[in-house]
Amino acid sequence: MTHERILDLLDDFVGGDLPPRDERDVRRHLMGCEGCRAEEQSLRALLDQAAALSDEVAPGRDLWQAIAPRLQPRDSLPREAEDPAIEVRVIGPRPARPLPWWMLAAASIALVVTTSLMTLQLSGRGADPAPAPAPIAAQQAQPPAAASGGTPTALAAFRPAEQDFEKAIAELEPVLRTQRGRMAPQTAATIQANLRIIDQAIEESRAALAADPNSAELTRMLSDAYHSKLNVLRRAVSL
Amino acid sequence: MDLTVRRAQQGDTAAFEQLYRDNVGRIYALCLRLSGDAGRAEELTQDVFVRAWEKLAGFQGRSAFSTWLHRLAVNVVLGDRRSESVRVHRVFATDQPEKYETPSARASDPGTAMDLERAIATLPPGARTVFVLHDVEGYKHEEIAEMQGSAVGTSKAQLHRARRLLREALGR
Ligand SMILES: [Zn+2]
């Protein structure tokens, strides 16, 4: 095996996760190779140090004072019909569908955008807030006709709203391009970075929705992502 | 089931306070390492115990209470991406994002040896999460991947990256 291959396997090797054959090969190589052995020892030293970290760290203040007032009386809490997923996870089969990472990412988009734009405004470059975004057709009670003539899918119902979003975005993007030149480099970079995250969320929620076209949750995620994009664009061009 | 847990399930806040006192150190340590920020960790710890109170009725004692609580804490922290959003924003807000991405850039300065806790806090969020869950807390890649809704390969790659960055930061 090459040194590179050995180094690739070291993570699993120190964790005892290699199949016996690979394990033996790595062990042999290490006996004869000082460089890889040094890597192995460095890795083990790190793991020893991690394992030696204290199990407990006391918070800087007594948090109970803040927790106690937030505890609602037991009988006012909704009775949980089933165990939280955590307990299911500890003892039993996995939940059918773990939350995909991009859902979490998309949920954080609005905040990224908000904090970034707040910073821009604090730094004196801000203008008036953008006008309220257009209402979202996906939330209307009556979806338009479905693709197949059967029950309309959430995706089909969202399509007109998506076209509105796309139109608005297509109008704003050229404006932003012409303005970028006179923005502070940091501001332009922040906006670009935010748009990149949002575009990724749009792309991935759209792909997920294509696979599961009836998911109201996915439709909402997609709608939120478009919403975020439009907001970033509107506020960016008003800077 | 433990009597204190049962009393807390029935609405006894004094019993729940006892559970808090017995477990807060471990939960705060977890939140601190996962978030890399003491203030955020205090907020998260509060959220964990409030959530535990709300969910306690559904706890059936098939695992130890401390195990149940620990898992709930991981879910709360991973589910709450505010800390990460702020970090993402910090990366964007700096002119030198590479300073954030590679702790080694700072650690290689002479005389700035960082201890492991501080080095963990400077890791990129994804790498930090996997390192803390795998190498500090002892979760397996399969479990981490499931909790994050990612692939096992992603978890392994993040761990590899975290270990490399940490060894650089610690000067080895
Ligand atoms: Zn070698």
Side-chain angles (χ1 to χ4, degrees):
Chain A
M1 283 194 194
T2 64
H3 301 294
E4 286 73 27
R5 176 78 182 129
I6 297 295
L7 296 179
D8 278 346
L9 293 177
L10 269 188
D11 274 326
D12 283 341
F13 177 75
V14 298
D17 294 330
L18 281 184
R21 190 198 196 100
D22 286 345
E23 151 119 28
R24 196 194 54 210
D25 288 349
V26 172
R27 203 175 286 285
R28 276 191 190 153
H29 180 98
L30 290 176
M31 282 195 289
C33 178
E34 206 172 321
C36 288
R37 203 160 59 234
E39 282 293 309
E40 182 217 357
Q41 280 163 3
S42 152
L43 191 51
R44 288 194 191 278
L46 173 66
L47 297 188
D48 287 347
Q49 214 181 331
L53 286 179
S54 169
D55 265 359
E56 301 191 9
V57 177
R61 60 196 173 94
D62 185 8
L63 303 178
W64 180 254
Q65 305 308 323
I67 293 169
R70 293 173 62 189
L71 304 182
Q72 296 174 44
R74 176 65 64 211
D75 44 13
S76 73
L77 289 171
R79 187 78 193 171
E80 302 229 4
E82 58 188 48
D83 279 351
I86 43 169
E87 176 144 88
V88 174
R89 184 60 200 82
V90 168
I91 48 88
R94 306 175 165 209
R97 223 173 55 148
L99 203 60
W101 72 267
W102 55 262
M103 266 198 191
L104 302 173
S108 70
I109 285 172
L111 193 90
V112 179
V113 171
T114 313
T115 48
S116 301
L117 291 174
M118 263 164 40
T119 308
L120 296 181
Q121 293 195 327
L122 285 176
S123 64
R125 298 190 51 85
D128 290 333
I136 303 163
Q139 289 165 358
Q140 286 172 359
Q142 291 182 324
S148 64
T151 315
T153 64
L155 176 57
F158 180 67
R159 191 56 203 145
E162 186 170 36
Q163 283 166 344
D164 286 347
F165 277 126
E166 283 166 349
K167 188 156 165 276
I169 288 167
E171 282 168 7
L172 287 169
E173 276 176 340
V175 183
L176 178 60
R177 269 198 296 277
T178 59
Q179 291 192 356
R180 195 173 296 145
R182 54 180 180 77
M183 285 179 182
Q186 192 175 314
T187 305
T190 303
I191 291 167
Q192 276 314 102
N194 277 314
L195 288 175
R196 218 165 29 237
I197 295 178
I198 294 169
D199 281 340
Q200 196 181 353
I202 289 176
E203 197 178 307
E204 300 201 13
S205 47
R206 217 176 181 300
L209 194 53
D212 185 7
N214 261 319
S215 168
E217 174 70 7
L218 291 175
T219 311
R220 196 181 56 74
M221 303 295 312
L222 180 59
S223 167
D224 283 353
Y226 272 119
H227 225 114
S228 298
K229 177 160 186 176
L230 202 52
N231 268 330
V232 171
L233 287 171
R234 282 183 174 149
R235 302 192 71 162
V237 300
S238 71
L239 284 177
Chain B
M1 195 189 299
D2 184 273
L3 183 62
T4 313
V5 174
R6 211 151 38 195
R7 279 172 47 217
Q9 278 186 320
Q10 287 157 3
D12 183 340
T13 52
F16 190 68
E17 180 176 358
Q18 188 57 51
L19 294 176
Y20 162 82
R21 305 261 169 232
D22 292 345
N23 290 281
V24 64
R26 183 138 167 61
I27 298 302
Y28 179 73
L30 176 71
C31 293
L32 181 63
R33 288 170 188 145
L34 282 175
S35 71
D37 180 277
R40 188 74 202 110
E42 289 185 358
E43 292 171 16
L44 286 166
T45 301
Q46 293 172 33
D47 291 347
V48 168
F49 281 97
V50 172
R51 194 83 67 86
W53 172 258
E54 290 164 0
K55 290 194 172 286
L56 197 55
F59 173 65
Q60 298 184 357
R62 286 179 289 183
S63 58
F65 173 76
S66 58
T67 306
W68 178 85
L69 183 67
H70 192 272
R71 177 67 70 146
L72 184 138
V74 171
N75 284 5
V76 167
V77 178
L78 294 188
D80 181 311
R81 290 287 143 144
R82 277 184 287 169
S83 54
E84 307 232 333
S85 307
V86 170
R87 279 183 179 278
V88 169
H89 168 62
R90 271 190 212 141
V91 173
F92 296 159
T94 174
D95 279 327
Q96 296 156 294
E98 69 280 3
K99 276 204 164 181
Y100 182 77
E101 277 291 308
T102 58
S104 58
R106 274 167 290 168
S108 59
D109 293 344
T112 57
M114 302 166 80
D115 65 30
L116 181 55
E117 295 275 18
R118 283 172 58 216
I120 291 172
T122 65
L123 287 174
R128 185 177 60 235
T129 299
V130 175
F131 180 80
V132 170
L133 292 180
H134 190 280
D135 284 352
V136 181
E137 300 293 341
Y139 286 95
K140 297 188 181 313
H141 282 299
E142 289 74 14
E143 296 173 295
I144 295 167
E146 187 193 317
M147 288 187 285
Q148 301 213 92
S150 61
V152 168
T154 308
S155 177
K156 287 193 168 191
Q158 290 282 30
L159 183 65
H160 186 75
R161 182 171 180 224
R163 287 170 167 179
R164 179 176 54 76
L165 290 172
L166 286 173
R167 283 157 63 202
E168 287 172 14
L170 295 166
R172 338 200 142 103

